[in-house]
Amino acid sequence: MGYSHRLTPTPAGWARLARWCVWVEPAAASGAIAPAAAASLESRWQQAVNTALASWAEELVIVRVTDPAQAQVLVRRQRPPLRELGGRLRASHGRASLQVLEVQRGGRWRLEPRVEVLISPGQRQLAIQATALHELGHAFGLWGHSDDPADALAAVPGRQPVLALTARDRATLRWLQAQPSRFGQPLPAPAAGPVPVQP
């Protein structure tokens, strides 16, 4: 049993794909060659994100791409902007934002989700991994939160970082993958522009 009842579809329906292309910001994109300390931070960030991706790859077909234009999920090394909640500005270590796009691939127009994931590099490695695991869950279609702090998609995490998918996370993702979806299906012709959505 999972938390599928807590998920919200996009305006175009459930955002799921049979195969996800993921681009992870490379070290070279951040500027000049870094000193040893910065290189160590970069290595920790990359390792944490790769480990989180590997967890989701146990349940999904994930293809790493080097061209961001080919990706449905873009993972960037960036602290998310402050967000207003209850009249106060709040900081967060991760954020996922979704656009619903009509894209042309292989000469055919298709509806695709395009998700930008921001993960702050200024955390401990395990915190980066937990943040990446959570935000990638949103990226792969879990637009909602669990009420159990032990789950990767917990709205309020527990005292220890969640570093692996739980049975509830997996059950919820499997439920989502079984839902009908227009995403990835051929379209007759392009129509409207992107529709931004936040979890």
Side-chain angles (χ1 to χ4, degrees):
M1 182 170 156
Y3 44 89
S4 58
H5 62 286
R6 298 177 66 91
L7 301 184
T8 303
T10 75
W14 296 106
R16 69 163 185 80
L17 292 171
R19 182 182 85 148
W20 291 89
C21 293
V22 177
W23 175 83
V24 177
E25 182 178 355
S30 62
I33 296 175
S40 174
L41 289 174
E42 167 62 28
S43 174
R44 285 190 306 200
W45 189 89
Q46 289 285 344
Q47 184 176 0
V49 170
N50 289 339
T51 302
L53 269 171
S55 293
W56 288 108
E58 294 173 3
E59 296 290 331
L60 298 166
V61 177
I62 297 173
V63 178
R64 294 283 294 265
V65 296
T66 56
D67 180 359
Q70 298 301 314
Q72 290 97 25
V73 178
L74 300 107
V75 183
R76 299 188 187 280
R77 182 187 314 95
Q78 181 180 331
R79 177 181 285 279
L82 296 175
R83 175 189 277 181
E84 186 175 340
L85 290 173
R88 296 175 55 195
L89 290 176
R90 301 281 301 270
S92 66
H93 293 296
R95 176 95 38 91
S97 57
L98 167 72
Q99 289 183 309
V100 176
L101 302 176
E102 293 176 359
V103 299
Q104 191 173 26
R105 300 205 191 275
R108 309 233 17 210
W109 287 94
R110 301 178 188 279
L111 192 67
E112 284 190 357
R114 185 164 172 99
V115 185
E116 183 175 59
V117 175
L118 305 180
I119 300 172
S120 177
Q123 309 173 70
R124 295 177 297 111
Q125 184 168 342
L126 294 184
I128 293 171
Q129 183 179 333
T131 301
L133 191 70
H134 179 99
E135 299 304 335
L136 286 167
H138 291 317
F140 296 133
L142 299 178
W143 293 98
H145 290 104
S146 165
D147 55 355
D148 186 334
D151 292 334
L153 269 289
V156 180
R159 298 181 70 176
Q160 297 297 319
V162 177
L163 304 175
L165 301 179
T166 65
R168 284 168 44 90
D169 292 319
R170 293 175 191 276
T172 305
L173 184 65
R174 290 173 186 162
W175 174 88
L176 175 66
Q177 289 297 103
Q179 300 310 302
S181 177
R182 295 171 47 212
F183 287 93
Q185 304 300 317
L187 294 171
V195 180
V197 177
Q198 290 279 345

